[in-house]
């Protein structure tokens, strides 16, 4: 009885051709020597090798064993010719019931890549003729490699995400630790300030009470002395009255010389009374301290608050810039001008929100923060984070921002807004704009308006100037890196009567 053999039984599942130099791996599957080695060479210097069909792992490439008998058999079959078994002689085993071709009743051991479906050998020469077909084992091997790559990618992503989760947990712990430490330090600092204030309050109270006791004692002493004098005078007056009623002239003349002389009287002019001026000056002095502390707290609180909101661990992308005036006004800042910085011919008014250039000097006291060579003034508040403000202009006015450490004394460009690398200035003249930085001028085009808006995003390093009318028009935009808090500035071009007023959002 002749045994019918299927060509596929003697074919390499990798190249789909008859086996050449057949070798067998420990699991029993056979391949062409070059095919299996090339397959393993693609696995990127792995120390563990696997069978393309059953995926069994091996630890060395030396596991390949030449199959001499199979090699001889393949050579003999090449000579006699290997034919496929007739369809009616090809039976499927119980384990292949689901893998039987319904058309040819053959086991589907091939795969059509063109149609992406499993097929039998007869399908490949029938309706799938000319298609890209491979053995099911080879396709499985290819898909298995893709699956392994996918698994590796997934496992790598899992590791990456686990690292990210761990990193975020560390950040949470760091944030909590930093916040707790900051709160603790802040509590300690504010407690020290409160204790200092309590001590100063106690000192003032003690000094006032001590001075009160001293002054009351002095007054009481003088009061007792005067009361004793009054008693003595009343007694003397009674004695004189009695003598005045003596009817015997000789007796009157006899007793008169024996009268005791009056003691020296306390002159009334020595008593100095200051109505309503006892300790009121102390109250005024304490009030002055309170006002200065309030100014310092108001100025520095903005920095503290903005510094807190600047914390951004995840470093999310920058927020989009505002587009409409309503959006800009959400970042409106309450800015006032600092009289201690104003040039002596600048008059501040309207709660230090308006400045006017005058012909005569104003009565300012000497101060190290004052500009002495340029008609300029700075805001009292420092600016961080996102800020927006508007200036109503009359005449030729410069709108600027600057670091606080800009020079103040003299007429050099180190003191002038835009004349150095510490300040940025937009000149708003009657018919033109010019932007200045580091003493370099840049002409700016745009509609002339009596109001200019300034937008600052300190973290993003953005400074923008806008012409404000019925619409907002961008005049000039700066992109840089700000290294210190900024202050708003206003400057004038020596024309008395020119003024600028900070717009207050209501």
């Amino acid at each position: 009885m002749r045994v019918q053999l299927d060509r596929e039984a003697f074919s390499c599942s990798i190249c789909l051709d008859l086996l050449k130099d057949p070798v067998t791996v420990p699991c029993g599957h056979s391949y062409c020597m070059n095919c299996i080695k090339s397959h393993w060479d693609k696995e990127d210097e792995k120390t563990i090798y696997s069978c393309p069909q059953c995926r069994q792992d091996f630890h060395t490439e030396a596991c390949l064993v030449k199959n001499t008998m199979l090699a001889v058999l393949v050579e003999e079959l090449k000579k006699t010719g290997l034919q496929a078994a007739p369809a009616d002689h090809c039976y499927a085993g119980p384990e292949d019931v689901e893998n039987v071709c319904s058309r040819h009743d053959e086991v589907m051991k091939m795969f059509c890549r063109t149609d992406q479906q499993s097929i039998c050998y007869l399908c490949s020469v029938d309706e799938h003729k000319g298609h890209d077909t491979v053995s099911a084992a080879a396709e499985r091997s290819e898909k298995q490699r893709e699956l392994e790559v996918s698994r590796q990618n997934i496992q790598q992503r899992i590791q990456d995400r686990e690292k990210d989760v761990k990193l975020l947990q560390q950040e949470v712990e760091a944030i909590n630790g930093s916040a707790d430490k900051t709160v603790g330090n802040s509590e300690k600092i504010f407690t020290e300030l409160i204790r200092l204030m309590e001590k100063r309050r106690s000192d003032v109270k003690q000094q006032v009470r001590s001075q009160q006791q001293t002054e009351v004692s002095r007054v009481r002493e003088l009061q007792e002395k005067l009361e004793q004098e009054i008693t003595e005078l009343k007694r003397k007056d009674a004695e004189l009255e009695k003598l005045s009623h003596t009817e015997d002239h000789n007796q009157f003349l006899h007793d008169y010389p024996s009268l005791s002389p009056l003691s020296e009287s306390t002159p009334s002019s020595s008593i100095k009374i200051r109505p309503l001026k006892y300790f009121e000056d102390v109250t005024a002095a304490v009030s002055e301290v309170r006002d200065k502390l309030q100014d310092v707290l108001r100025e520095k609180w903005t920095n503290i608050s903005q510094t807190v909101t600047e914390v951004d661990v995840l470093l999310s992308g920058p927020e989009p810039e505002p587009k409409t005036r309503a959006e800009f006004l959400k970042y409106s800042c309450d800015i006032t001008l600092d009289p201690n910085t104003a040039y002596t011919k600048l008059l501040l008014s309207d709660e230090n929100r308006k400045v006017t250039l005058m012909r005569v000097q104003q009565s300012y006291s000497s101060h190290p923060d004052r500009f002495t060579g340029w008609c300029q003034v700075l805001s009292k508040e420092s600016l961080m984070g996102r800020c927006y403000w508007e200036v109503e202009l009359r005449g030729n006015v410069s709108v600027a921002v600057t670091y606080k450490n800009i020079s103040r004394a003299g007429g050099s460009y180190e003191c002038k807004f835009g004349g150095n690398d510490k300040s940025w200035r937009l000149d708003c003249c009657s018919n033109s704009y010019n932007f200045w930085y580091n003493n370099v001028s840049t002409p700016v085009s745009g509609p002339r308006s009596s109001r200019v808006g300034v937008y600052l995003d300190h973290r993003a390093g953005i400074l923008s100037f806008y012409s404000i009318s019925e619409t907002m028009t961008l005049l000039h935009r700066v992109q840089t890196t700000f290294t210190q808090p900024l202050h708003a500035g206003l400057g004038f071009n020596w024309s008395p009567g020119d003024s600028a007023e900070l717009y207050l959002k209501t």
Side-chain angles (χ1 to χ4, degrees), residues 171-213:
E171 289 299 325
V172 168
E173 294 173 358
I175 292 170
N176 291 338
S178 177
D180 292 343
K181 183 178 179 180
T182 300
V183 169
N185 290 339
S186 299
E187 288 289 328
K188 181 179 179 181
I189 293 170
F190 279 112
T191 299
E192 291 173 354
L193 287 174
I194 292 171
R195 287 176 179 172
L196 177 61
M197 295 302 297
E198 290 287 348
K199 186 177 186 305
R200 291 293 178 261
R201 183 179 70 172
S202 177
D203 290 345
V204 171
K205 180 179 178 180
Q206 182 178 357
Q207 290 180 10
V208 169
R209 293 304 184 192
S210 176
Q211 189 65 20
Q212 174 191 11
Q213 184 177 0

Side-chain angles (χ1 to χ4, degrees), residues 38-178:
S38 298
H39 172 74
W40 284 347
D41 287 341
K42 295 178 181 178
E43 296 192 346
D44 301 330
E45 298 181 358
K46 289 187 175 179
T47 58
I48 296 180
Y49 303 88
S50 60
C51 174
Q53 296 188 57
C54 66
R55 312 308 297 175
Q56 182 174 335
D57 292 335
F58 316 108
H59 294 282
T60 174
E61 191 174 355
C63 65
L64 294 175
V65 177
K66 184 174 182 180
N67 194 325
T68 305
M69 186 176 68
L70 188 57
V72 173
L73 182 58
V74 169
E75 288 300 318
E76 288 295 323
L77 291 174
K78 285 181 179 179
K79 295 177 182 178
T80 60
L82 183 63
Q83 300 298 327
D88 56 343
H89 290 169
C90 187
Y91 300 100
E95 69 278 5
D96 294 325
V97 173
E98 292 180 2
N99 295 321
V100 174
C101 175
S102 61
R103 182 171 181 178
H104 300 110
D105 199 26
E106 291 276 356
V107 176
M108 294 188 293
K109 292 186 176 181
M110 302 188 71
F111 187 82
C112 178
R113 287 176 171 170
T114 303
D115 296 328
Q116 289 293 302
Q117 68 180 73
S118 296
I119 61 175
C120 71
Y121 178 74
L122 293 177
C123 289
S124 68
V125 296
D126 192 358
E127 66 267 30
H128 292 274
K129 184 178 180 180
H131 290 189
D132 182 9
T133 59
V134 295
S135 71
E139 184 67 12
R140 163 66 186 270
S141 177
E142 180 68 25
K143 291 296 187 287
Q144 189 76 27
R145 284 194 294 270
E146 294 178 2
L147 183 147
E148 291 299 326
V149 172
S150 297
R151 286 196 63 204
Q152 291 173 8
N153 291 336
I154 291 173
Q155 291 169 0
Q156 184 62 48
R157 287 179 63 181
I158 290 173
Q159 293 178 3
D160 293 342
R161 293 301 173 264
E162 287 176 343
K163 290 180 181 178
D164 291 341
V165 169
K166 185 175 181 180
L167 177 62
L168 291 175
Q169 180 59 35
Q170 292 173 349
E171 289 299 325
V172 168
E173 294 173 358
I175 292 170
N176 291 338
S178 177

Side-chain angles (χ1 to χ4, degrees), residues 375-418:
C375 293
Q376 300 178 158
V377 61
L378 287 183
S379 67
K380 181 176 293 185
E381 297 79 12
S382 60
L383 306 173
M384 292 282 288
R386 286 186 159 201
C387 304
Y388 177 75
W389 64 99
E390 294 180 354
V391 186
E392 188 71 25
L393 311 175
R394 179 183 175 185
N396 297 328
V397 181
S398 299
V399 180
V401 296
T402 178
Y403 295 143
K404 189 174 184 179
N405 62 352
I406 187 175
S407 299
R408 312 295 176 93
S412 71
Y413 285 110
E414 292 302 313
C415 306
K416 185 175 178 61
F417 296 152

Side-chain angles (χ1 to χ4, degrees), residues 299 339 419 437 484:
E299 177 182 354
Y437 172 70
Q484 305 175 37

